[in-house]
Amino acid sequence: MKEKRNIIIGGAIIRIISVLSVLYGNPKNMGICVACFIRDIADSLGLHRTEIVQYIRPEIIGMVLCSFILALGSREFKSRGGSSPFIRFYLGFIVIIGALMFLGCPTRMVLRLAGGDLNALFGIGGFVVGILIGIVCLRKGFSLKRSYKQTKLEGFLFPAINIVLFIMLISSSALLLFSKEGPGSQHAPAFIALTIGLAVGVICQKTRLCMVSGFRDLILFKDYYFLLGFLAMLVAAFIGNLTFGFFTPGFTDQPVAHTDGLWNFLGMVLAEWGSVLLGGCPMRQLILSGEGNIDSVITIFGMLVGAAFCHNFQLASSSKGPTSNSQIAVIVCFFILSIISYYSCKADKDIKNKLKVDVSIG
């Protein structure tokens, strides 16, 4: 009961913080969105040149650093990696393509719905269907194989990169690009944003909160622990938006959103299918990266490169809707994800069959 209470309280606090971040300057109905913020960081680093989404988001840095500090303090820090790194990179790449089709990760999906954006209902439908497809793959034996112990230096490097990025941000380094208009220009002051990220990091690291795990564990294990956090997020964000006057129900004229229901749905199916195979949503990958999980670091770099690829080749949606390129990209990614799922399940089955043969011969 104590654990369930903690995740309910934690989920609610995260959403209240997210709504408050809008008061401090973050984009409306966004607050905290891992996919969007990774995209903004990619552009600020010059990996793509979409002038309205250029900013180093301290919330991302705060989540990674908080997870790192807490893991060190509790002796949970373990530098491990090597579990199908290239496939994980591809999966991160695919997840971000799906998220930028919908224009948000699962975290933002909840915030959009709580803010009255009814287009998020199609996203929730895709969210559930994507998880169900991923569960089918898991039941068929999908596996990215085991990870291996790495040197501590491997685990320290990613938090160190985040520290460098924050120093570059507060010093207004000439190496970074900054938006003068659009979502990238809308942000909370750097140290407030960092504090927000640290607070979210504490909750996520201690409760193991994951948007994908809620529905996955409910279906696989009849365990609704993570689902309670998901519901607490939705209720708290809804109350927060009502309190501050951010709630504007409807389909049209929603901030950083489009009204194409089919592609909102398919984008989230793609993102969540990939997230289940990875073992966690983008926010969970950030927390794991701070704990020394090099596989999660590889996934995040896949998202970073994927975000740059989306904007360089017009694969990201906008308020005008999805582009032709983005529609083709989502279809291609479904095909690639099917191949990865099939062969990862098949390879696992072949290994089991080989072991049975070896045992019978012995």
Side-chain angles (χ1 to χ4, degrees):
M1 288 299 297
K2 182 179 179 181
E3 290 180 349
K4 291 175 182 177
R5 182 191 63 199
N6 288 344
I7 199 167
I8 290 172
I9 295 173
I13 291 173
I14 287 176
R15 282 301 160 256
I16 292 170
I17 290 173
S18 298
V19 174
L20 287 174
S21 72
V22 176
L23 283 177
Y24 284 109
N26 279 8
K28 190 178 177 183
N29 278 9
M30 186 176 294
I32 298 173
C33 174
V34 174
C36 298
F37 285 5
I38 287 177
R39 173 205 60 198
D40 294 354
I41 292 172
D43 200 0
S44 185
L45 293 172
L47 299 182
H48 62 94
R49 296 301 176 98
T50 307
E51 294 182 353
I52 61 172
V53 287
Q54 298 172 334
Y55 190 65
I56 298 294
R57 295 286 181 177
E59 294 89 347
I60 298 293
I61 295 171
M63 282 187 267
V64 173
L65 294 183
C66 182
S67 175
F68 174 66
I69 293 168
L70 290 177
L72 279 179
S74 60
R75 297 184 179 180
E76 293 178 353
F77 183 87
K78 294 179 181 179
S79 186
R80 299 187 66 83
S83 169
S84 304
F86 200 41
I87 290 179
R88 288 183 184 275
F89 181 90
Y90 258 109
L91 289 175
F93 190 101
I94 288 171
V95 165
I96 207 73
I97 287 178
L100 293 182
M101 168 59 84
F102 171 72
L103 289 176
C105 64
T107 306
R108 184 169 188 245
M109 176 188 71
V110 173
L111 287 172
R112 284 176 56 177
L113 183 61
D117 183 355
L118 300 181
N119 299 293
L121 291 171
F122 295 101
I124 288 179
F127 176 81
V128 174
V129 171
I131 291 173
L132 289 174
I133 296 172
I135 288 172
V136 170
C137 295
L138 294 180
R139 285 177 169 170
K140 292 288 185 180
F142 179 88
S143 173
L144 292 176
K145 313 309 174 194
R146 59 170 295 187
S147 59
Y148 301 89
K149 186 177 180 180
Q150 308 288 328
T151 64
K152 281 193 175 181
L153 178 61
E154 289 274 356
F156 289 165
L157 283 176
F158 190 60
I161 289 172
N162 280 269
I163 292 172
V164 172
L165 285 178
F166 188 71
I167 293 172
M168 292 172 67
L169 171 66
I170 60 176
S171 63
S172 299
S173 172
L175 298 175
L176 300 177
L177 301 173
F178 297 94
S179 294
K180 296 181 180 179
E181 59 181 6
S185 66
Q186 300 169 16
H187 51 81
F191 282 98
I192 291 178
L194 180 68
T195 303
I196 288 171
L198 290 169
V200 172
V202 170
I203 296 169
C204 290
Q205 206 273 343
K206 290 300 183 182
T207 65
R208 309 299 183 190
L209 184 64
C210 175
M211 301 294 287
V212 169
S213 298
F215 286 93
R216 182 199 64 193
D217 290 0
L218 178 65
I219 296 168
L220 278 178
F221 311 116
K222 303 297 185 291
D223 183 350
Y224 56 90
Y225 169 74
F226 288 115
L227 187 61
L228 291 174
F230 178 92
L231 295 174
M233 286 182 173
L234 180 60
V235 173
F238 176 70
I239 293 173
N241 281 316
L242 280 177
T243 301
F244 295 110
F246 296 150
F247 184 74
T248 52
F251 286 97
T252 59
D253 299 322
Q254 294 293 340
V256 197
H258 63 81
T259 59
D260 193 318
L262 174 63
W263 292 100
N264 277 324
F265 172 81
L266 292 176
M268 286 306 288
V269 171
L270 185 67
E272 300 322 301
W273 183 2
S275 293
V276 172
L277 301 186
L278 283 165
C281 65
M283 185 166 63
R284 182 64 184 149
Q285 298 298 328
L286 280 177
I287 300 302
L288 290 172
S289 70
E291 296 175 352
N293 191 319
I294 311 305
D295 296 328
S296 291
V297 174
I298 295 295
T299 300
I300 292 167
F301 275 107
M303 293 179 186
L304 190 75
V305 174
F309 193 89
C310 280
H311 280 276
N312 282 326
F313 295 96
Q314 298 181 339
L315 307 185
S317 299
S318 68
S319 57
K320 297 178 181 178
T323 65
S324 297
N325 287 359
S326 66
Q327 293 171 351
I328 293 170
V330 166
I331 293 170
V332 170
C333 284
F334 272 121
F335 178 70
I336 294 172
L337 207 50
S338 298
I339 293 175
I340 291 174
S341 299
Y342 175 76
Y343 279 100
S344 293
C345 293
K346 184 175 184 295
D348 191 63
K349 185 177 180 181
D350 289 343
I351 290 172
K352 289 179 180 178
N353 290 335
K354 186 177 184 301
L355 287 173
K356 288 179 181 178
V357 172
D358 290 343
V359 170
S360 64
I361 292 174

